[in-house]
Amino acid sequence: GTGIPTLKLQSSQKNLRLTGTVEQTGVAADFSIDVPVEIQYAKGAPEILWVRTATDDKASFAVTLKQPATKVQIRPDFLAVRK
């Protein structure tokens, strides 16, 4: 069976340009999944950027932000076991 992937997010912000990668481990080589990257701001609601992981280990993303991000993370409840 397919296990639950281990996901690792790396990101950097320069001015209003956010770039990063989502790396997955612990799953079959052909496994891919849409991962919600949550971008939090000092003001306003967080934004969700969906990043599709690839069969090679890292999926990269780049986005222009409306304002500087205060936190960038994989949405915490994403890999919680769903019943």
Side-chain angles (χ1 to χ4, degrees):
T2 303
I4 295 176
T6 300
L7 299 168
K8 187 169 130 188
L9 171 71
Q10 291 184 307
S11 66
S12 64
Q13 187 177 182
K14 186 173 183 183
N15 300 322
L16 290 178
R17 190 74 174 155
L18 178 70
T19 57
T21 58
V22 176
E23 183 179 3
Q24 70 177 12
T25 55
V27 288
D30 60 353
F31 183 83
S32 67
I33 191 171
D34 290 312
V35 178
V37 175
E38 184 179 69
I39 304 164
Q40 296 179 7
Y41 302 105
K43 295 179 184 173
E47 189 177 343
I48 299 292
L49 175 69
W50 290 92
V51 178
R52 182 124 185 120
T53 61
T55 50
D56 55 2
D57 45 0
K58 288 184 184 177
S60 58
F61 62 89
V63 65
T64 301
L65 304 172
K66 294 175 278 223
Q67 57 179 309
T70 56
K71 187 173 185 179
V72 179
Q73 66 180 2
I74 294 171
R75 207 172 78 194
D77 62 350
F78 175 58
L79 287 178
V81 178
R82 291 169 172 80
K83 294 187 178 180

